[in-house]
Amino acid sequence: MFKKTALSAALAAATLVPFAQAQAADYVIDTDGQHAFIQFKISHLGFSYILGSLEEFSGEFSYDPENPAASSASLDVDVASLTTNHAERDKHIKSDDFLDVAEYPSASFTSTGFEPTGDGEGVLTGELTLHGETNTIEMPVTLLGEGDDPWGNYRAGFEGSATLTLADYGIDMSSFPEAMHELELYVTFEGIRQ
């Protein structure tokens, strides 16, 4: 259910892990504390929007502010956890008309590179697998903040977004208006340094 430009991740995350150097710190995304979200927006027939989220996922990232190019991320998503707060619509989206969660119950994102574009900003590139199809996506991401929390942990938080063309993932939207052929993906998360 996602588009391809520049948010899995991830969607994407969304999530940042070292490629070549061991200096980057490893973080686990804090889903237990509900400090991570994967959300999406898609047009409804060109009249309004359907907003939804994927509730069950896990992931990790690596991030070194001294060497941001070494950042990386990975994310695994339970596609059946999708909700738009409308049970009948959710059932249809999860059916073989669209996501076919019986056949493709999970989605994943694995980064392949990170290019810094400014202070605390960059473009995360990676492989997004959804509905049995894998495509390279680029997701601009922004560091929201990092530091000690009140419970003795060190945290870092990011957000990112991407636009996914559903046909790239084998999801046939040809009978719907063109406005529904793409989906906006937004991820935000805190990670706890390990």
Side-chain angles (χ1 to χ4, degrees):
M1 287 184 73
F2 313 39
K3 165 181 176 185
K4 148 183 183 185
T5 71
L7 305 234
S8 145
L11 4 303
T15 333
L16 308 163
V17 155
F19 295 119
Q21 282 155 313
Q23 290 300 97
D26 295 328
Y27 292 78
V28 171
I29 296 175
D30 183 12
T31 54
D32 290 341
Q34 197 59 39
H35 296 121
F37 302 88
I38 301 176
Q39 300 170 320
F40 61 88
K41 179 172 83 169
I42 187 169
S43 174
H44 181 247
L45 305 173
F47 303 134
S48 63
Y49 291 101
I50 296 169
L51 304 176
S53 62
L54 292 148
E55 300 291 299
E56 300 293 332
F57 58 93
S58 61
E60 55 267 336
F61 63 92
S62 290
Y63 170 68
D64 176 5
E66 300 302 315
N67 184 18
S71 299
S72 67
S74 64
L75 195 65
D76 291 305
V77 181
D78 177 1
V79 181
S81 71
L82 177 145
T83 179
T84 64
N85 293 314
H86 188 283
E88 286 303 308
R89 177 172 57 216
D90 293 350
K91 182 178 177 182
H92 190 205
I93 292 171
K94 296 175 192 180
S95 77
D96 58 8
D97 286 346
F98 299 105
L99 291 179
D100 195 0
V101 298
E103 181 73 20
Y104 308 106
S106 62
S108 64
F109 174 81
T110 303
S111 66
T112 56
F114 181 75
E115 181 180 351
T117 58
D119 187 22
E121 297 182 343
V123 177
L124 186 66
T125 303
E127 300 296 306
L128 174 64
T129 299
L130 173 70
H131 195 247
E133 302 284 342
T134 301
N135 290 285
T136 299
I137 67 167
E138 293 183 349
M139 180 185 297
V141 296
T142 301
L143 173 67
L144 299 174
E146 63 176 313
D148 296 322
D149 70 17
W151 307 282
N153 300 305
Y154 190 90
R155 293 175 180 260
F158 294 85
E159 68 175 348
S161 62
T163 302
L164 306 179
T165 299
L166 297 177
D168 290 345
Y169 297 90
I171 300 170
D172 183 10
M173 300 296 289
S174 60
S175 61
F176 293 90
E178 189 172 345
M180 296 185 71
H181 295 189
E182 294 181 342
L183 174 145
E184 294 180 32
L185 183 64
Y186 172 75
V187 295
T188 181
F189 54 83
E190 291 178 19
I192 300 172
R193 189 167 67 188
Q194 300 303 289

